[in-house]
Amino acid sequence: MAERDPEPGAVVLARPSHPHESAHLHVTGAARYADDLAEPGDMLHLCFGQSSEAHARIVSMDLEAVRTAPGVHSVYTAADIPAANDVAPVAHDDPLLAEDEVVSHGQALFLVAATSREAARRAARLAKVEYEPLDAAITPAQARAANSLIEPTQRMARGDAGAALASAPHRARGSFEMGGQDHFYLEGQIAVATPGEDGAVHIVSSTQHPSEVQHLVAHMLGLTSADVTVEVRRMGGAFGGKETQAALFAAAAALVAARTGRPAKLRCDRDDDMVMTGKRHPFEVAYEVGYDEEGHLLALSLFLSSPCGASVDLSPAINDRAMFHADNCYYLPDVEIVSERLKTNTVSATAFRGFGGPQGMLAIERILDDVAARLDRDPLEVRLANLYATGRSETPYGMEIRDNIAPEMIARLRETARYDARSKAIDAFNAQSPVIKRGIALTPVKFGISFTTTHLNQAGALVHVYADGSIQVNHGGTEMGQGVYVKVAQVVADVFGVALDTIRCTATRTDKVPNTSATAASSGADLNGMAAFNAASTIKARLVDFLSRTYACAPEDVTFGADGVQAGAARLTFGEVARRAQIGRVSLSSTGFYATPDIAYDRAAHKGRPFYYFSYGAAVSEVAVDTLTGEHKVLAVDILHDVGASLNPAIDKGQIEGGFVQGQGWLTTEELVWDAKGRLLTHSPATYKIPTASDRPKRLTIELWDGQNVEPTINRSKAVGEPPFMLAISVFSALNRAVGACVPEARCLPPLDAPATPEKVLAAIAGHRKEGTAA
């Protein structure tokens, strides 16, 4: 550990791994979540009454049987909301409780407060609601036909794609679909609201965005933000599903607490949770690509269409990020990317790990696989031919890439994973195997780090040093299992040269650090780590000044390290320094603030620098497909991932593995199905298949790239939350190659959509054989 306080962005080499700060609590069952808090005797339990229609006018709503049901204390409708009937993050188009019209199946109509959760749930089903059905756009085709959009279609372009397509020696058209994904966090949506003095309310919420919950609740109740405190100690998973979605449940609990003067709790049932909350955006992709004999992309016209659901939510930014990542690691000389954002009568799609990036990235990887198939080339060679390089380093949105390490990473992984030898062995295997076909793919990742809404790139922190030398750290980041608390604690420990167990992380609270951004966009450690660094450095500067005066030495002769504090000839423990500073009337508390520099984006022109830097990665995946059943197995995965100078290698490797497996689930097993009336059919673990331990590749190797961030992030580290998710695109590409091996003479890509369920794999095999026969 360095003795002197590192400058922002300085590298601390060979940083050790540390366990998650709550690991010992997790494994012993002592970690307390919102549902573990002791319930007072007058606690009210809540449940929503939900719409049975996807789009309809509410003619009448008879709630008499609900009000008189056993255990019911009270029932609330939109008329009972004191001020703003709104839980939307941006567009104010998502009410807490429906008023005259419902726009999606499962939408909240009314709220039941009862003496038990079971009583509230039973009562909610007794409502008699009469509807006048209205035309509903459930599918993208229906929304497109009705010209139903959440915002105007967006266009990002460089050069003249049309002219370049016309002159290209080879041209190809294609299309495919990718499905959405449910967050399936282990801890469902939950909020506990407790009334305070003089109209104030305290909310324990399982949310990634405490400040947004605070502001929305305040507006809903007609209070100031200062009257509402939101607290989050930890979440049992979130993945983006608790960024905007948590506000609905927190606002409901706050409404009842404010109206009754009693604490109120809403713990959502898993089925209701899946029906009522947003998912990853599904996409339809269509493209026309021009290329040469070597596989260089010369022109691309790309159409991305996404059904966004019934309200705006975060869909504009999510679809923008899909456009940003439609290049991935590849230079596109003449390109037009058109993004259609459809409004449908389904629950609004929302943030999910990758925030649109995976959808855009899958599109370009699919296109490169198509080009490779048509040229009968190894897909990796086509990828290498199109990588960003010197003189070809500007993205379609005008950002210069400064740290293009993708070619080096691909080259290393190609060698260490023995890609070429394995690819040849797979070709030989497939030639002799009529039923089981194997495939292999190496795909890279380049993921932009920052909120693309510029003002969100800020964070605050609060650090207290107590007189005994113990340290308390609070910041705006929320802990959802990803390890942001331990990383920020490590940063503060490094500043003061103390052991990590000196640091106590406290619950994220809006009354300690105000006006924070969501813990999202993979920015939790970047933003909050630097804010905490600034807070701790302020206190340390005061201590250096005090010690240099006290011991008559130069400030540069005061050093902090693992063996204590040296002040000239004097050596003290950190605890002794803290006690003497307190007696000397030195402030041992400080706030810290950080705003990401050098980013700006003109959304109207779709030009600028929306990202501070890029995180990179590459993965090799090998799969086997049973062509009789459509089932597949991921046999082996090799990952090389870039986290800069890792703050905590063990935590980072855990995030890489978790992200990869979750991405694998999105592309292979997790299928969302709605019926013609807009009802979600896959609303429980019985019908929705997330990946399990048996889906994890038998051999999975993860190595960290031995580099550092070119930008002065905290200790030159890089974000790790979202980028690994897209490493799983290698699985989908490998599946395409395995299916393609059924008709090796066909010079085309199999018509495989995601997720690659057995049914879709069988359909792709049949379609590929038909195309191969026609050719």
Side-chain angles (χ1 to χ4, degrees):
M1 183 179 293
E3 285 196 340
R4 291 188 180 275
D5 186 21
E7 294 297 319
V11 179
V12 180
L13 297 177
R15 184 176 298 278
S17 293
H18 292 281
H20 190 286
E21 49 83 30
S22 294
H24 63 293
L25 303 176
H26 291 151
V27 298
T28 60
R32 298 175 69 188
Y33 294 83
D35 200 34
D36 297 318
L37 301 179
E39 296 181 0
D42 61 344
M43 174 77 80
L44 292 173
H45 297 265
L46 315 182
C47 182
F48 284 117
Q50 301 172 45
S51 167
S52 60
E53 298 290 326
H55 191 202
R57 187 174 67 84
I58 301 172
V59 176
S60 65
M61 192 158 56
D62 182 356
L63 303 180
E64 185 59 29
V66 181
R67 291 189 172 93
T68 58
V72 171
H73 174 275
S74 48
V75 179
Y76 303 91
T77 66
D80 299 305
I81 296 172
N85 183 15
D86 174 37
V87 290
V90 178
H92 308 297
D93 61 345
D94 199 356
L96 168 58
L97 299 171
E99 296 184 23
D100 302 318
E101 182 180 327
V102 293
V103 292
S104 66
H105 178 266
Q107 183 178 353
L109 299 177
F110 58 90
L111 181 63
V112 182
T115 54
S116 71
R117 181 170 174 267
E118 290 71 22
R121 293 190 66 208
R122 290 192 183 98
R125 285 149 176 78
L126 301 177
K128 298 177 182 178
V129 184
E130 182 183 351
Y131 300 95
E132 178 189 329
L134 302 172
D135 290 340
I138 306 301
T139 67
Q142 290 170 337
R144 194 174 296 118
N147 195 30
S148 178
L149 303 171
I150 64 157
E151 69 169 343
T153 297
Q154 302 293 303
R155 179 180 181 272
M156 179 187 292
R158 173 172 57 200
D160 188 336
L165 281 168
S167 62
H170 298 283
R171 295 169 65 176
R173 294 176 182 267
S175 63
F176 74 106
E177 297 178 6
M178 63 188 88
Q181 186 179 21
D182 189 87
H183 302 86
F184 217 94
Y185 24 65
L186 291 182
E187 178 200 34
Q189 298 282 355
I190 184 171
V192 181
T194 304
E197 293 182 341
D198 201 21
V201 63
H202 174 272
I203 304 168
V204 175
S205 173
S206 187
T207 178
Q208 296 171 242
H209 202 344
S211 288
E212 182 171 84
V213 169
Q214 174 195 28
H215 301 326
L216 287 170
V217 167
H219 292 157
M220 184 268 297
L221 294 177
L223 302 174
T224 69
S225 292
D227 296 320
V228 179
T229 299
V230 178
E231 178 178 351
V232 188
R233 175 57 184 91
R234 59 175 60 86
M235 289 168 277
F239 314 114
K242 296 175 180 176
E243 183 172 348
T244 64
Q245 304 297 286
L248 173 69
F249 305 93
L255 173 64
V256 174
R259 291 296 301 264
T260 65
R262 294 169 60 171
K265 178 178 183 177
L266 203 171
R267 175 167 65 86
C268 200
D269 175 79
R270 175 66 68 180
D271 294 73
D272 292 342
D273 191 317
M274 294 184 73
V275 167
M276 299 184 76
T277 61
K279 324 294 179 194
R280 181 184 296 281
H281 290 66
F283 269 61
E284 294 181 345
V285 178
Y287 58 87
E288 184 173 8
V289 60
Y291 55 97
D292 63 19
E293 196 63 35
E294 286 72 43
H296 296 106
L297 300 191
L298 306 176
L300 175 63
S301 176
L302 179 62
F303 180 70
L304 304 174
S305 179
S306 175
C308 299
S311 64
V312 172
D313 200 87
L314 299 176
S315 291
I318 290 165
N319 281 268
D320 284 357
R321 189 172 275 267
M323 298 170 75
F324 291 136
H325 288 82
D327 63 333
N328 195 13
C329 294
Y330 314 109
Y331 180 72
L332 306 175
D334 287 273
V335 57
E336 179 184 52
I337 303 168
V338 175
S339 173
E340 179 183 59
R341 295 101 191 264
L342 298 168
K343 184 175 182 178
T344 53
N345 292 114
T346 53
V347 63
S348 284
T350 191
F352 202 127
R353 197 175 199 166
F355 204 78
Q359 294 94 315
M361 205 175 290
L362 183 61
I364 190 63
E365 295 298 340
R366 172 81 173 191
I367 290 166
L368 291 171
D369 282 339
D370 191 5
V371 170
R374 293 172 187 272
L375 293 173
D376 196 24
R377 288 178 174 267
D378 187 311
L380 179 56
E381 296 303 326
V382 174
R383 288 182 166 89
L384 292 173
N386 288 285
L387 292 174
Y388 279 108
T390 303
R392 293 160 47 92
S393 57
E394 186 179 287
T395 67
Y397 46 91
M399 180 175 171
E400 191 73 19
I401 297 176
R402 295 181 53 202
D403 60 342
N404 182 26
I405 59 175
E408 300 169 68
M409 294 185 71
I410 293 171
R412 182 186 297 182
L413 185 61
R414 181 180 190 173
E415 179 180 356
T416 58
R418 300 174 46 255
Y419 172 85
D420 295 288
R422 290 166 64 188
S423 185
K424 290 179 181 178
I426 287 170
D427 288 342
F429 173 89
N430 287 337
Q432 301 298 320
S433 177
V435 174
I436 304 298
K437 300 294 183 181
R438 291 186 177 180
I440 191 170
L442 192 163
T443 61
V445 167
K446 173 181 67 66
F447 190 77
I449 304 298
S450 290
F451 288 97
T452 54
T453 302
T454 304
H455 78 270
L456 297 177
N457 294 284
Q458 58 177 295
L462 177 63
V463 175
H464 300 316
V465 175
Y466 292 95
D468 64 353
S470 62
I471 301 168
Q472 191 179 94
V473 179
N474 192 275
H475 53 82
T478 56
E479 179 61 63
M480 60 196 91
Q482 83 279 34
V484 69
Y485 272 26
V486 71
K487 286 185 173 183
V488 175
Q490 287 177 247
V491 168
V492 174
D494 282 344
V495 170
F496 293 114
V498 298
L500 186 59
D501 61 10
T502 305
I503 312 295
R504 167 69 72 175
C505 300
T506 59
T508 307
R509 288 178 58 114
T510 56
D511 58 354
K512 282 193 173 182
V513 178
N515 307 318
T516 57
S517 297
T519 305
S522 303
S523 63
D526 278 11
L527 295 177
N528 296 286
M530 194 65 86
F533 175 92
N534 290 337
S537 296
T538 298
I539 299 172
K540 185 176 181 182
R542 295 172 190 157
L543 292 175
V544 169
D545 179 67
F546 169 73
L547 291 171
S548 64
R549 286 187 284 106
T550 301
Y551 293 97
C553 63
E556 55 268 25
D557 292 328
V558 178
T559 60
F560 291 68
D563 55 350
V565 181
Q566 190 79 34
R571 179 167 292 280
L572 306 93
T573 67
F574 185 74
E576 290 172 333
V577 169
R579 175 64 68 187
R580 295 185 186 192
Q582 190 263 339
I583 292 172
R585 297 186 296 175
V586 175
S587 172
L588 297 178
S589 176
S590 179
T591 60
F593 182 78
Y594 175 72
T596 308
D598 304 325
I599 52 174
Y601 188 66
D602 180 354
R603 187 169 187 262
H606 287 298
K607 296 292 182 183
R609 183 186 179 185
F611 307 119
Y612 192 35
Y613 64 88
F614 294 98
S615 288
Y616 293 85
V620 173
S621 291
E622 183 177 342
V623 304
V625 172
D626 185 330
T627 60
L628 298 181
T629 66
E631 295 175 297
H632 76 272
K633 189 77 174 175
V634 180
L635 303 175
V637 172
D638 299 272
I639 291 171
L640 179 61
H641 199 72
D642 163 41
V643 293
S646 176
L647 289 173
N648 189 321
I651 294 291
D652 286 346
K653 285 188 176 182
Q655 284 292 289
I656 293 166
E657 180 174 351
F660 177 88
V661 172
Q662 190 174 48
Q664 179 184 330
W666 169 54
L667 292 170
T668 61
T669 65
E670 298 184 49
E671 185 176 30
L672 293 166
V673 180
W674 280 268
D675 68 11
K677 294 185 177 181
R679 296 175 297 195
L680 180 66
L681 302 181
T682 50
H683 56 75
S684 77
T687 51
Y688 185 80
K689 180 174 169 50
I690 64 170
T692 64
S694 62
D695 295 301
R696 182 188 185 274
K698 186 174 182 180
R699 181 176 68 77
L700 174 61
T701 64
I702 300 173
E703 298 295 334
L704 301 182
W705 177 252
D706 51 351
Q708 64 184 48
N709 203 336
V710 298
E711 300 296 345
T713 53
I714 188 69
N715 293 337
R716 298 281 179 171
S717 63
K718 285 190 177 183
V720 72
E722 293 170 302
F725 183 94
M726 285 145 283
L727 295 169
I729 292 173
S730 59
V731 172
F732 191 72
S733 289
L735 288 170
N736 271 286
R737 201 166 175 185
V739 172
C742 294
V743 190
E745 65 276 9
R747 299 280 288 269
C748 59
L749 195 65
L752 182 61
D753 292 329
T757 61
E759 295 87 349
K760 290 183 180 178
V761 169
L762 287 177
I765 291 171
H768 193 52
R769 285 173 173 159
K770 182 178 180 180
E771 291 182 22
T773 302

